[in-house]
Amino acid sequence: MKTLSGIPASRGICIGPVFQFVRQELVVAECKIDNTQKEIERLDEALNVAKEQISAIYEKALTEASKADAEIFQAHLMILEDPELLSEAKKKIETEHCSADFAMKETAQAFSNMMAAMNDEYFAARATDIMDVGNRVLRILLGVAESPTASLVTPSIFVADDLTPSDTVLLDKTMVVGFCTARGSATSHTAILARGLGIPAVAGAGEEVLDKKTGANVILDGTKGQGGLRPT
């Protein structure tokens, strides 16, 4: 079968079965609500829970990676306190009478799109961070658990469209021997964290990587100049 080449993101070679990670879609319906104050309170409560979760991830990153890598999550905490983003979300609730879920999803997406449109690697990373934080708040509001490796029972090579920085830190290293993403770059926060955690990784391998079936044995080579995913 054809070798799938991508961008070397984190050094190392590993062998194992593919595990295709499909992120649970966060479905948020647009609906009109009467009690806008209650929705703002729901949002504030979710933001507080998100801060607690990110603080815990920061401590995990400090232990398993490095202080420099962990600083990514200090930036996530700053996003949660961004007065412009929060003001826009709450304004949306008040003026459009929408739910906290819908307001957060729309606002985070708008801010992320604005960063991504700048066509710069630094701002692309910021766009990913905003969506990572926004989706965390959404999961809390919707009661959706966060555990990217919950269904893994065999040490595997994690394959996904893309991974967020939070996904990467929360990967169970006893179950994930390496990962390959269809999108991403060597300078993304996800790649930086993979290197800090010592997980071999290839990014930007294209949509073909998503055709690899769960259970198929592959070799993943994340070393510089050897990026790719191929069958054993």
Side-chain angles (χ1 to χ4, degrees):
M1 292 177 67
K2 181 181 176 182
T3 297
L4 294 174
S5 297
I7 301 166
S10 180
R11 294 175 63 87
I13 299 174
C14 55
I15 302 173
V18 164
F19 176 81
Q20 283 282 358
F21 172 59
V22 180
R23 193 181 308 281
Q24 182 175 349
E25 185 180 359
L26 299 175
V27 179
V28 179
E30 183 176 7
C31 59
K32 297 298 180 183
I33 53 97
D34 295 321
N35 193 338
T36 57
Q37 184 56 40
K38 182 179 179 180
E39 289 304 297
I40 289 173
E41 290 172 2
R42 281 186 67 227
L43 178 58
D44 283 335
E45 289 171 5
L47 290 168
N48 287 331
V49 173
K51 288 176 186 176
E52 293 173 2
Q53 291 181 353
I54 293 173
S55 294
I57 293 173
Y58 170 76
E59 294 299 327
K60 190 174 191 293
L62 273 180
T63 302
E64 298 184 1
S66 70
K67 189 175 190 302
D69 296 332
E71 289 301 316
I72 291 168
F73 298 101
Q74 290 287 56
H76 283 204
L77 287 171
M78 290 175 67
I79 291 170
L80 277 175
E81 296 173 350
D82 185 317
E84 190 175 352
L85 187 148
L86 298 183
S87 174
E88 188 62 30
K90 291 178 180 180
K91 179 182 176 183
K92 198 172 188 67
I93 293 172
E94 292 174 333
T95 59
E96 299 181 20
H97 285 258
C98 62
S99 67
D101 321 38
F102 187 80
M104 191 65 202
K105 181 177 181 179
E106 292 290 297
T107 304
Q109 189 67 68
F111 276 63
S112 177
N113 289 347
M114 181 175 63
M115 290 290 180
M118 294 181 184
N119 198 28
D120 177 273
E121 284 192 355
Y122 174 83
F123 288 111
R126 300 292 81 70
T128 300
D129 289 339
I130 291 170
M131 285 312 301
D132 193 356
V133 171
N135 285 333
R136 174 176 300 282
V137 176
L138 270 183
R139 284 194 297 271
I140 294 165
L141 287 166
L142 296 170
V144 176
E146 175 186 43
S147 182
T149 52
S151 56
L152 262 177
V153 294
T154 302
S156 303
I157 293 173
F158 214 66
V159 175
D161 176 53
D162 203 359
L163 292 175
T164 67
S166 295
D167 290 332
T168 308
V169 170
L170 291 173
L171 293 176
D172 182 346
K173 290 200 293 181
T174 66
M175 286 294 173
V176 177
V177 297
F179 70 78
C180 182
T181 59
R183 298 184 292 123
S185 71
T187 59
S188 70
H189 282 165
T190 295
I192 292 168
L193 284 165
R195 292 193 287 272
L197 293 166
I199 301 174
V202 174
E207 296 298 315
E208 285 183 81
V209 74
L210 302 178
D211 294 332
K212 295 296 179 186
K213 294 182 179 179
T214 291
N217 285 318
V218 296
I219 298 172
L220 182 73
D221 187 343
T223 304
K224 184 177 180 181
Q226 301 291 323
L229 182 69
R230 55 188 182 273
T232 58

